[in-house]
Amino acid sequence: MSVSESQQGMPRVNIPPEIWLEIMRSATDVPDSLEHPQLRHISEGTCLSGLAIERYRNSMATKVNLMGVCRQWYALAAPMLYEQIIVTHVGQLESAVEAAGHLPLVRDPDDSRQLGSFVKRLDLLIPDLKWALEPGVHNGPPLLTLAPRLCKLTPNLIILNTKSTRHWDSLPLCDLVPPTLEYVYWINNFRLPISQWVAFMDAHPRLRYMDPPIFENPERSKETREMWQGKCWSSIQELVWHHDEQASMFASQFDTGSFPNLHKLVLTYGPTSSHLDEILSVHGVNITSIHFQPTARNFNHIVPLVNTIRSHCPQLQELRLSCFGDDSYLEKDVETPPSSLSIPGVTIFGLHYSGQVSSPYKRRHFCDYALAWGKILPDLRTLRVFQERNILGFRNDTIFDTFLKDCAFSRIKVEDNFGRLLN
């Protein structure tokens, strides 16, 4: 780093662009754990949480302000402005497609990268978003609709969260999204022939996380398992299923070993023991973390499910529960688990109650329920409160403060969804 004299006679520090860039990234960072329930799957689709949207907007405002300081800062901050794009209406999508094909206004003369090349994450959250081919102009060749056109303009895309229509026609899905993709969250549960999704996985060798579509019945689409039997996708580490039909199809159509590095499963519905047995007997051997939504909180209901999981998942280390239910249940005391009940091996337990734990009895129930699980998990070392709205409900709360002290006394760390220590 060199020091020179400014016009006023004061020393001036010449900071390298790389340092400025790191400072800017620190100032505009958007923390996002990219996991359910921060990505909320609801009956009409999936969307980012309001808190995630607010962080994104604040970050974008800061980036725009940085770009206005000087030409050097514009050149540094402009690519950052396009790294994550959230689109919630058609006008924004049209603007994004238009901008992605252009060069930055201020750039190095030797740098020919278009703005679309800086995009690393796309959140396309427009209802009934079309992924289709439309008739061309004046009987010309068919044209891609805006969503797939934007993906074609983002050659370095890593994360894609998108809505879609349920109609795919002959759209070549595997060719629309660049092979750099690592994370895909398809929001609407559209149906797709298995062979098309197999082609998609083949075309994306870096894909680690996927929320796949519901597969068409192979008999109806005239496909057979032999078309993909023996294939292996070693990059896949996490699968999210929203319906038992999705999971059952994966169990019946993909052999054991098809996903040798699959370590995490998320089921955003209430599975039965027989359903868990069906899917985990095929894909459970390497699972270290499982997240599901029990249909009841009582231990008599959940423990058989966990025992089924453990019988097929010998490497299980993390258990996560998303609990839903009416308020009348939360007004009751948490049942005491049987003294003989013990589930060894699980070192991380995550808990999420739907909505905010805004009332004292909800907060008390949450804390007592978590502590009850601590009694039957002898190897528990970390407890995660992994829903942001739950965390907000616990701010400046004496019940939660006591809970944190009880966990600390038992040598249990309490973390939030970003892994930040709370006690």
Side-chain angles (χ1 to χ4, degrees):
M1 184 180 297
S2 62
V3 178
S4 60
E5 294 292 320
S6 67
Q7 292 181 349
Q8 290 78 21
M10 299 294 291
R12 182 180 63 196
V13 178
N14 293 325
I15 300 177
E18 295 82 3
I19 303 299
W20 280 124
L21 189 59
E22 287 302 312
I23 293 172
M24 291 179 181
R25 287 199 179 282
S26 178
T28 59
D29 181 46
V30 183
D32 193 333
S33 55
L34 278 174
E35 64 184 8
H36 178 81
Q38 271 56 256
L39 286 167
R40 296 181 294 129
H41 191 87
I42 48 183
S43 58
E44 61 270 25
T46 304
C47 61
L48 293 174
S49 70
L51 297 168
I53 291 287
E54 182 179 359
R55 285 195 295 269
Y56 168 78
R57 288 174 177 166
N58 291 339
S59 172
M60 293 294 283
T62 302
K63 290 175 183 179
V64 170
N65 290 336
L66 291 173
M67 289 171 61
V69 172
C70 62
R71 289 178 63 86
Q72 182 190 26
W73 281 29
Y74 182 100
L76 290 171
M80 294 171 54
L81 187 69
Y82 288 89
E83 285 182 349
Q84 179 181 354
I85 296 177
I86 295 180
V87 176
T88 56
H89 58 79
V90 174
Q92 288 177 323
L93 183 56
E94 291 173 343
S95 298
V97 171
E98 175 66 22
H102 286 78
L103 298 170
L105 293 177
V106 178
R107 62 183 179 87
D108 187 311
D110 297 327
D111 189 348
S112 60
R113 290 177 297 172
Q114 296 178 335
L115 291 171
S117 66
F118 301 122
V119 177
K120 296 180 180 178
R121 171 174 171 175
L122 279 177
D123 293 78
L124 306 179
L125 308 177
I126 301 173
D128 299 322
L129 184 63
K130 288 184 177 181
W131 285 72
L133 288 168
E134 293 186 328
V137 180
H138 305 304
N139 296 322
L143 302 174
L144 291 171
T145 52
L146 290 171
R149 200 184 314 169
L150 180 58
C151 286
K152 292 281 283 185
L153 292 169
T154 55
N156 299 307
L157 188 65
I158 296 173
I159 299 167
L160 175 64
N161 303 311
T162 180
K163 290 180 179 288
S164 64
T165 61
R166 296 175 183 270
H167 306 290
W168 284 83
D169 303 323
S170 58
L171 192 67
L173 179 61
C174 64
D175 298 329
L176 299 177
V177 183
T180 53
L181 193 71
E182 298 179 11
Y183 180 111
V184 61
Y185 198 110
W186 290 100
I187 291 168
N188 301 68
N189 289 304
F190 64 92
R191 292 184 178 273
L192 194 71
I194 299 178
S195 60
Q196 287 194 32
W197 191 253
V198 167
F200 185 88
M201 292 189 292
D202 287 344
H204 296 87
R206 301 182 189 177
L207 192 62
R208 295 183 294 114
Y209 173 110
M210 68 179 186
D211 176 359
I214 296 177
F215 295 140
E216 291 280 6
N217 187 313
E219 294 181 1
R220 187 179 308 158
S221 54
K222 297 181 180 179
E223 297 179 328
T224 62
R225 289 186 61 193
E226 286 71 23
M227 298 172 65
W228 51 83
Q229 200 166 23
K231 283 180 172 285
C232 173
W233 297 274
S234 58
S235 64
I236 304 298
Q237 300 175 24
E238 181 173 354
L239 276 171
V240 179
W241 291 317
H242 301 293
H243 297 280
D244 54 4
E245 182 183 353
Q246 280 180 304
S248 295
M249 193 68 80
F250 261 82
S252 65
Q253 295 298 322
F254 295 102
D255 295 331
T256 299
S258 297
F259 308 101
N261 293 311
L262 179 63
H263 299 306
K264 186 173 182 179
L265 283 180
V266 179
L267 287 69
T268 65
Y269 57 93
T272 63
S273 291
S274 60
H275 176 63
L276 287 172
D277 183 76
E278 175 191 15
I279 59 177
L280 296 178
S281 63
V282 180
H283 299 301
V285 66
N286 293 319
I287 295 297
T288 59
S289 173
I290 192 162
H291 176 183
F292 67 95
Q293 177 185 316
T295 55
R297 287 181 174 87
N298 64 76
F299 290 102
N300 288 334
H301 170 77
I302 297 178
V303 169
L305 300 177
V306 176
N307 286 334
T308 300
I309 293 169
R310 290 179 60 237
S311 68
H312 294 296
C313 306
Q315 301 184 52
L316 187 69
Q317 300 172 13
E318 181 176 11
L319 176 67
R320 291 189 176 203
L321 302 181
S322 286
C323 296
F324 294 76
D326 58 18
D327 288 354
S328 62
Y329 179 86
L330 300 179
E331 294 175 1
K332 302 175 184 177
D333 292 337
V334 172
E335 65 173 311
T336 302
S339 58
S340 60
L341 186 58
S342 179
I343 304 174
V346 175
T347 59
I348 303 170
F349 178 69
L351 186 59
H352 155 220
Y353 274 20
S354 61
Q356 270 187 301
V357 283
S358 52
S359 62
Y361 69 83
K362 284 185 178 181
R363 294 195 291 272
R364 170 70 65 188
H365 196 282
F366 183 101
C367 295
D368 288 348
Y369 192 62
L371 290 172
W373 273 96
K375 294 178 181 178
I376 64 175
L377 299 173
D379 299 318
L380 184 64
R381 297 293 176 265
T382 303
L383 197 154
R384 287 182 177 155
V385 185
F386 61 89
Q387 214 273 357
E388 286 189 85
R389 292 200 174 278
N390 287 171
I391 295 289
L392 290 176
F394 284 127
R395 282 183 176 176
N396 304 316
D397 180 70
T398 56
I399 296 173
F400 192 61
D401 289 342
T402 301
F403 166 75
L404 293 178
K405 292 176 183 177
D406 290 341
C407 289
F409 180 78
S410 300
R411 298 184 178 180
I412 297 173
K413 296 187 298 181
V414 182
E415 298 178 347
D416 67 5
N417 57 300
F418 297 113
R420 296 176 298 206
L421 195 63
L422 299 177
N423 66 341

